[in-house]
Amino acid sequence: MKLDRILPFAKKLLENAITSGDAAVDATVGNGHDTLFLANLVGENGTVYGFDVQEDAIRTSTEKLNQHGLANRVTVFHAGHEQLARLIPANHHGKVKAAIFNLGYLPGSDKSIVTKPETTISAIDQLLEIMVPEGIIILVIYHGHAEGAIERDALLRYCQEIDQKKAHVLQYRFMNQQNNPPFIVAIEKR
Protein backbone atom coordinates (compact mmCIF):
# COMPACT_ATOMS: atom_id res chain seq x y z
CA MET A 1 0.00 0.00 0.00
CA LYS A 2 1.45 3.36 -1.02
CA LEU A 3 -0.94 5.49 1.04
CA ASP A 4 0.12 6.08 4.62
CA ARG A 5 -2.10 4.46 7.19
CA ILE A 6 -3.51 6.75 9.85
CA LEU A 7 -0.92 6.44 12.62
CA PRO A 8 2.16 6.54 10.33
CA PHE A 9 0.67 9.65 8.69
CA ALA A 10 0.25 11.25 12.12
CA LYS A 11 3.89 10.46 12.91
CA LYS A 12 5.03 12.04 9.64
CA LEU A 13 3.19 15.22 10.51
CA LEU A 14 4.87 15.27 13.92
CA GLU A 15 8.29 14.62 12.39
CA ASN A 16 7.76 17.53 9.99
CA ALA A 17 6.78 19.87 12.81
CA ILE A 18 9.26 19.03 15.58
CA THR A 19 13.00 19.49 15.76
CA SER A 20 15.43 18.88 18.58
CA GLY A 21 14.94 21.29 21.47
CA ASP A 22 11.25 21.93 20.80
CA ALA A 23 8.25 21.71 23.13
CA ALA A 24 5.40 19.32 22.29
CA VAL A 25 2.19 18.05 23.90
CA ASP A 26 0.69 14.60 24.19
CA ALA A 27 -2.84 15.56 25.16
CA THR A 28 -3.91 11.96 25.81
CA VAL A 29 -0.94 10.01 27.19
CA GLY A 30 -2.73 6.65 27.17
CA ASN A 31 -0.23 3.79 26.92
CA GLY A 32 2.65 6.19 26.27
CA HIS A 33 3.42 5.35 22.65
CA ASP A 34 3.05 8.92 21.37
CA THR A 35 4.70 10.32 24.50
CA LEU A 36 7.77 8.17 23.81
CA PHE A 37 7.75 9.12 20.13
CA LEU A 38 7.57 12.83 20.99
CA ALA A 39 10.34 12.49 23.61
CA ASN A 40 12.62 11.10 20.91
CA LEU A 41 11.71 13.90 18.49
CA VAL A 42 12.32 16.78 20.93
CA GLY A 43 15.75 15.43 21.85
CA GLU A 44 17.67 15.90 25.07
CA ASN A 45 17.06 19.66 25.14
CA GLY A 46 13.34 19.51 24.35
CA THR A 47 10.28 19.03 26.49
CA VAL A 48 7.08 17.04 26.19
CA TYR A 49 4.03 17.80 28.30
CA GLY A 50 1.65 14.87 28.70
CA PHE A 51 -1.89 14.84 30.05
CA ASP A 52 -4.18 12.02 31.12
CA VAL A 53 -7.02 11.62 33.62
CA GLN A 54 -6.33 7.93 34.27
CA GLU A 55 -3.77 6.84 36.85
CA ASP A 56 -3.07 3.64 34.87
CA ALA A 57 -2.11 5.72 31.84
CA ILE A 58 0.25 7.86 33.89
CA ARG A 59 1.91 4.81 35.43
CA THR A 60 2.24 2.88 32.15
CA SER A 61 3.66 5.81 30.20
CA THR A 62 6.07 6.78 33.00
CA GLU A 63 7.37 3.19 33.13
CA LYS A 64 7.83 3.18 29.35
CA LEU A 65 9.73 6.48 29.45
CA ASN A 66 11.94 5.22 32.28
CA GLN A 67 12.71 2.00 30.37
CA HIS A 68 13.95 4.10 27.45
CA GLY A 69 15.80 6.62 29.61
CA LEU A 70 13.63 9.51 28.40
CA ALA A 71 11.61 10.42 31.51
CA ASN A 72 13.72 13.56 32.02
CA ARG A 73 12.32 15.02 28.78
CA VAL A 74 8.68 14.61 29.78
CA THR A 75 6.41 16.19 32.37
CA VAL A 76 3.24 14.14 32.79
CA PHE A 77 0.21 15.72 34.44
CA HIS A 78 -2.51 13.61 36.01
CA ALA A 79 -5.05 16.07 34.62
CA GLY A 80 -7.34 16.58 31.67
CA HIS A 81 -5.99 18.26 28.57
CA GLU A 82 -8.44 21.13 29.07
CA GLN A 83 -6.02 22.35 31.77
CA LEU A 84 -2.98 22.52 29.51
CA ALA A 85 -2.61 26.32 29.24
CA ARG A 86 -2.66 26.56 33.04
CA LEU A 87 -0.24 23.66 33.61
CA ILE A 88 2.30 24.23 30.84
CA PRO A 89 4.79 26.75 32.24
CA ALA A 90 4.46 30.29 30.88
CA ASN A 91 8.00 30.17 29.47
CA HIS A 92 6.76 27.59 26.94
CA HIS A 93 3.70 29.58 25.89
CA GLY A 94 4.33 30.68 22.32
CA LYS A 95 6.86 27.86 21.85
CA VAL A 96 4.81 24.65 21.54
CA LYS A 97 5.44 23.15 18.08
CA ALA A 98 3.05 20.18 18.00
CA ALA A 99 0.35 18.34 19.89
CA ILE A 100 -1.38 15.02 19.42
CA PHE A 101 -4.68 13.68 20.75
CA ASN A 102 -5.79 10.04 20.50
CA LEU A 103 -9.48 10.42 21.22
CA GLY A 104 -11.88 7.84 22.57
CA TYR A 105 -10.97 5.45 25.38
CA LEU A 106 -7.76 3.86 26.62
CA PRO A 107 -7.36 0.43 24.97
CA GLY A 108 -7.53 -2.37 27.52
CA SER A 109 -9.00 -0.10 30.16
CA ASP A 110 -12.39 1.13 31.40
CA LYS A 111 -14.34 1.94 28.23
CA SER A 112 -16.70 4.20 30.16
CA ILE A 113 -13.86 6.73 30.58
CA VAL A 114 -13.74 8.56 27.27
CA THR A 115 -12.59 11.89 25.94
CA LYS A 116 -15.31 14.52 25.69
CA PRO A 117 -15.85 17.07 22.93
CA GLU A 118 -16.10 20.05 25.27
CA THR A 119 -12.73 19.36 26.94
CA THR A 120 -11.05 18.53 23.64
CA ILE A 121 -12.32 21.73 22.02
CA SER A 122 -11.18 23.73 25.04
CA ALA A 123 -7.70 22.19 24.74
CA ILE A 124 -7.54 22.94 21.01
CA ASP A 125 -8.50 26.57 21.63
CA GLN A 126 -5.78 26.83 24.28
CA LEU A 127 -3.19 25.23 22.03
CA LEU A 128 -3.98 27.65 19.23
CA GLU A 129 -3.13 30.43 21.68
CA ILE A 130 0.13 28.99 23.03
CA MET A 131 1.59 27.38 19.89
CA VAL A 132 4.07 28.89 17.48
CA PRO A 133 2.83 29.88 14.02
CA GLU A 134 2.77 26.73 11.85
CA GLY A 135 2.40 24.60 14.97
CA ILE A 136 0.43 21.41 14.32
CA ILE A 137 -2.40 19.84 16.32
CA ILE A 138 -3.24 16.27 15.35
CA LEU A 139 -6.55 14.72 16.36
CA VAL A 140 -6.72 10.96 15.87
CA ILE A 141 -10.44 10.35 16.10
CA TYR A 142 -11.63 6.89 17.12
CA HIS A 143 -15.37 6.92 16.55
CA GLY A 144 -16.46 3.29 16.55
CA HIS A 145 -18.37 3.65 19.82
CA ALA A 146 -21.34 5.81 20.84
CA GLU A 147 -19.38 8.49 22.73
CA GLY A 148 -16.75 8.54 19.98
CA ALA A 149 -19.38 9.28 17.35
CA ILE A 150 -20.71 12.17 19.45
CA GLU A 151 -17.21 13.59 19.86
CA ARG A 152 -16.45 13.11 16.15
CA ASP A 153 -19.52 15.07 15.11
CA ALA A 154 -18.82 17.92 17.55
CA LEU A 155 -15.17 18.16 16.52
CA LEU A 156 -15.92 18.14 12.82
CA ARG A 157 -18.44 20.97 13.29
CA TYR A 158 -15.94 22.91 15.40
CA CYS A 159 -13.03 22.38 12.99
CA GLN A 160 -15.07 23.39 9.93
CA GLU A 161 -15.81 26.69 11.67
CA ILE A 162 -12.19 27.58 12.49
CA ASP A 163 -11.41 30.80 10.64
CA GLN A 164 -8.99 30.03 7.80
CA LYS A 165 -7.06 33.15 8.78
CA LYS A 166 -6.37 31.45 12.13
CA ALA A 167 -5.53 27.92 10.97
CA HIS A 168 -5.50 25.44 8.11
CA VAL A 169 -7.54 22.28 8.79
CA LEU A 170 -6.98 18.95 7.02
CA GLN A 171 -8.98 15.72 7.27
CA TYR A 172 -7.20 12.47 6.36
CA ARG A 173 -9.28 9.32 6.27
CA PHE A 174 -9.94 6.12 4.41
CA MET A 175 -13.52 6.38 3.19
CA ASN A 176 -14.27 2.82 2.06
CA GLN A 177 -13.12 0.80 5.08
CA GLN A 178 -15.51 -1.03 7.38
CA ASN A 179 -15.96 -0.75 11.13
CA ASN A 180 -15.50 3.01 11.53
CA PRO A 181 -11.72 3.20 11.17
CA PRO A 182 -10.00 6.11 12.92
CA PHE A 183 -9.13 9.21 10.96
CA ILE A 184 -7.07 12.34 11.43
CA VAL A 185 -7.91 16.00 11.60
CA ALA A 186 -4.74 18.11 11.50
CA ILE A 187 -4.84 21.80 12.41
CA GLU A 188 -1.94 24.05 11.47
CA LYS A 189 -1.87 27.40 13.21
CA ARG A 190 -1.30 30.35 10.89
Side-chain angles (χ1 to χ4, degrees):
M1 180 175 199
K2 300 286 185 194
L3 295 173
D4 283 330
R5 297 195 183 280
I6 296 303
L7 297 180
F9 183 70
K11 287 183 175 185
K12 277 187 179 179
L13 292 173
L14 292 170
E15 289 170 340
N16 288 339
I18 299 171
T19 56
S20 183
D22 285 340
V25 173
D26 186 349
T28 51
V29 165
N31 288 316
H33 301 296
D34 289 333
T35 316
L36 181 63
F37 184 74
L38 291 171
N40 278 303
L41 289 178
V42 301
E44 61 187 51
N45 295 315
T47 304
V48 176
Y49 296 102
F51 297 84
D52 211 296
V53 297
Q54 294 186 69
E55 189 65 44
D56 286 347
I58 302 299
R59 185 178 56 258
T60 300
S61 60
T62 301
E63 288 171 4
K64 186 175 297 225
L65 291 164
N66 283 327
Q67 288 170 358
H68 289 86
L70 298 175
N72 62 325
R73 300 178 187 183
V74 180
T75 301
V76 180
F77 297 102
H78 185 200
H81 47 237
E82 72 277 10
Q83 298 182 53
L84 63 85
R86 181 179 65 81
L87 293 173
I88 292 174
N91 66 320
H92 274 137
H93 288 208
K95 297 181 180 172
V96 174
K97 285 287 222 38
I100 186 163
F101 294 71
N102 276 289
L103 302 172
Y105 55 82
L106 178 62
S109 187
D110 183 350
K111 292 182 181 177
S112 70
I113 302 172
V114 297
T115 54
K116 302 286 187 189
E118 57 276 2
T119 61
T120 301
I121 289 169
S122 174
I124 294 166
D125 284 339
Q126 293 171 50
L127 282 165
L128 288 171
E129 291 299 317
I130 68 169
M131 293 185 97
V132 299
E134 297 185 344
I136 300 281
I137 302 167
I138 299 167
L139 310 173
V140 183
I141 301 174
Y142 292 86
H143 58 109
H145 54 100
E147 293 293 322
I150 292 167
E151 186 169 36
R152 172 202 62 211
D153 293 346
L155 287 172
L156 289 176
R157 278 191 305 274
Y158 164 81
C159 289
Q160 288 172 335
E161 294 174 4
I162 295 175
D163 186 337
Q164 67 181 2
K165 293 176 185 164
K166 187 174 183 178
H168 301 288
V169 181
L170 165 80
Q171 186 177 133
Y172 185 80
R173 70 186 311 161
F174 290 95
M175 299 170 58
N176 65 340
Q177 292 182 353
Q178 297 176 352
N179 301 320
N180 300 309
F183 65 95
I184 290 174
V185 173
I187 303 166
E188 180 183 31
K189 180 178 175 177
R190 292 193 63 162

